[in-house]
Amino acid sequence: MRTDTGQKIIEYISKNSQASPKDLYNFLGISPRAVFKQLLVLSNKNLVQKVGHPPKVYYTLASKEQLKKPIDLTEQNKRIIDENFYYISPVGQEKIGLEGFEAWCHKQNLEPSKTALEYISTLEKYSQYKKNDLIDGMRKMSTTFEHVALDRLFYLDFYAIERFGKTKLGQLLLLAKSSQNKKQITTLIEMISPQVENIIKEFNIDAVGFIPPTVKRETQLMNELKKRLPIKQRLLSIIKAKTTVMVAQKTLNKLQDRVDNARQTIIVEDKTPFDNILLVDDAVGSGATLNETAAQIKRKKLCRGKIIGLAIVGSFKGFDVISEV
């Protein structure tokens, strides 16, 4: 049973649509500490929800979705969803794991418990393409291009999966690039660092190149990766040539246009050859940029061994347009 104070908070928010903590302690005539204690109780009961971050925080009544029957799953299945699901609500609330999955289901008018089993089944379907937490992208390349210059291509995850949309890594990548949020960029880098280190070690990489960005942003994710990933190897100098109009790969819907764009605007400036080279990109839709960069490296005889491509995320098969990132 709610306390009288809790009931007054509910009624005040109901009448005013939303309320800040300051609104509430001015209205109730009690200390801020007492208000926050009541808000915590109401939040834990899913009766109110917090919107925003300090110093601009408001509380609203919980949505109908939050009041629905909780999800019914085994602990193992809950753990799988907690590890894999990441959801951003339409009002910009970050919801991770089971909480995010329930919110997404209610938004889609889906029954969470039944949908959860379908989600886990879909994850299992796509997990067969992963080995040592890496997805081999060479089959996609060989079915997309007549000549493949990359010796190997890996993704850390797919960008999206059927029905359930963007993967956790896909969602984080999109947010890190679009929101310029340093916290999300840091989270993304921390997630992928171990796998990057493993690839460098496994393939005896002695030079690493980062595909340069085209879209102008205050904080460039690829530059942040270059600075903050634990890489001790030599960095290749790869630039994007400036043209009258800078055309991003993601705006091109034809494969040949993407090939032409990469072939004519990506420039590898190094002169010194290396043994094994790692090329890093954020997302692979067609694979044209990585493939053309690798082709240029081979034409210039800058690699004596293998060229390995690595993308944070990639499309499942064939030529796909990942226009968001």
Side-chain angles (χ1 to χ4, degrees):
M1 179 179 293
R2 294 197 294 271
T3 65
D4 289 341
T5 303
Q7 181 62 42
K8 288 177 182 178
I9 290 175
I10 294 291
E11 291 172 355
Y12 182 89
I13 295 176
S14 178
K15 180 179 178 180
N16 294 279
S17 298
Q18 62 185 29
S20 69
K22 184 177 180 180
D23 292 332
L24 292 171
Y25 56 73
N26 285 338
F27 167 68
L28 295 168
I30 60 177
S31 69
R33 182 177 179 181
V35 167
F36 282 114
K37 182 177 179 180
Q38 290 295 327
L39 287 170
L40 179 61
V41 171
L42 295 173
S43 295
N44 289 339
K45 293 180 179 179
N46 284 330
L47 295 171
V48 300
Q49 59 183 352
K50 183 171 73 172
V51 179
H53 294 282
K56 299 291 184 180
V57 173
Y58 291 87
Y59 286 83
T60 64
L61 295 185
S63 60
K64 293 180 181 179
E65 289 84 358
Q66 291 176 281
L67 301 175
K68 292 184 180 181
K69 183 180 178 181
I71 198 166
D72 180 22
L73 286 174
T74 64
E75 290 304 313
Q76 180 181 356
N77 286 342
K78 286 180 181 179
R79 186 167 57 253
I80 291 172
I81 294 177
D82 272 336
E83 291 172 355
N84 289 280
F85 205 83
Y86 186 95
Y87 174 64
I88 301 296
S89 75
V91 296
Q93 292 177 311
E94 181 185 53
K95 296 180 181 291
I96 300 172
L98 200 60
E99 179 191 13
F101 187 79
E102 289 186 89
W104 179 83
C105 285
H106 294 317
K107 191 67 179 174
Q108 303 293 324
N109 293 317
L110 298 170
E111 199 284 307
S113 298
K114 177 177 178 292
T115 308
L117 297 178
E118 295 165 352
Y119 173 64
I120 291 168
S121 177
T122 302
L123 286 180
E124 290 174 350
K125 170 186 172 182
Y126 281 90
S127 68
Q128 67 180 300
Y129 298 99
K130 286 188 178 183
K131 185 178 180 180
N132 298 326
D133 289 328
L134 294 173
I135 297 167
D136 190 337
M138 288 304 288
R139 183 175 179 275
K140 170 191 166 73
M141 297 297 288
S142 63
T143 57
T144 304
F145 300 102
E146 183 177 354
H147 301 290
V148 179
L150 288 166
D151 294 292
R152 300 294 300 271
L153 171 63
F154 299 104
Y155 312 148
L156 302 185
D157 205 350
F158 293 115
Y159 178 63
I161 59 176
E162 63 192 64
R163 186 183 178 192
F164 296 98
K166 288 183 281 295
T167 62
K168 182 177 182 179
L169 200 52
Q171 184 72 271
L172 277 170
L173 174 64
L174 175 61
L175 288 170
K177 292 190 71 173
S178 61
S179 72
Q180 307 286 279
N181 186 302
K182 291 293 183 69
K183 177 185 174 184
Q184 288 163 341
I185 291 174
T186 298
T187 299
L188 180 69
I189 291 173
E190 289 175 350
M191 282 183 65
I192 71 175
S193 289
Q195 291 157 297
V196 174
E197 287 184 283
N198 287 341
I199 287 179
I200 288 174
K201 182 177 180 180
E202 180 179 350
F203 291 95
N204 297 313
I205 299 296
D206 59 341
V208 180
F210 291 82
I211 300 300
T214 301
V215 179
K216 188 176 181 180
R217 291 187 171 101
E218 183 177 345
T219 302
Q220 292 289 5
L221 176 64
M222 295 306 293
N223 291 340
E224 291 297 309
L225 292 177
K226 188 188 299 185
K227 289 188 296 185
R228 296 165 61 182
L229 281 174
I231 293 173
K232 298 178 182 178
Q233 286 68 22
R234 169 81 178 271
L235 294 179
L236 285 180
S237 178
I238 304 175
I239 65 170
K240 181 84 171 179
K242 291 185 178 181
T243 55
T244 305
V245 178
M246 295 293 282
V247 179
Q249 281 271 322
K250 67 179 185 178
T251 65
L252 302 173
N253 295 321
K254 293 183 179 179
L255 178 60
Q256 189 57 49
D257 288 344
R258 291 195 168 204
V259 171
D260 292 341
N261 177 282
R263 185 176 295 162
Q264 297 179 43
T265 64
I266 296 292
I267 300 173
V268 181
E269 295 186 309
D270 286 75
K271 305 295 183 184
T272 305
F274 299 94
D275 291 326
N276 299 305
I277 295 173
L278 176 66
L279 294 177
V280 181
D281 203 355
D282 53 9
V284 166
S286 66
T289 303
L290 278 173
N291 197 49
E292 287 302 318
T293 304
Q296 184 178 157
I297 289 171
K298 287 187 172 179
R299 285 196 302 271
K300 293 183 175 182
K301 298 181 179 180
L302 298 177
C303 183
R304 294 183 289 253
K306 295 184 181 298
I307 302 176
I308 313 299
L310 174 66
I312 297 174
V313 296
S315 58
F316 178 53
K317 59 182 179 180
F319 169 43
D320 196 7
V321 178
I322 301 180
S323 60
E324 296 171 305
V325 297

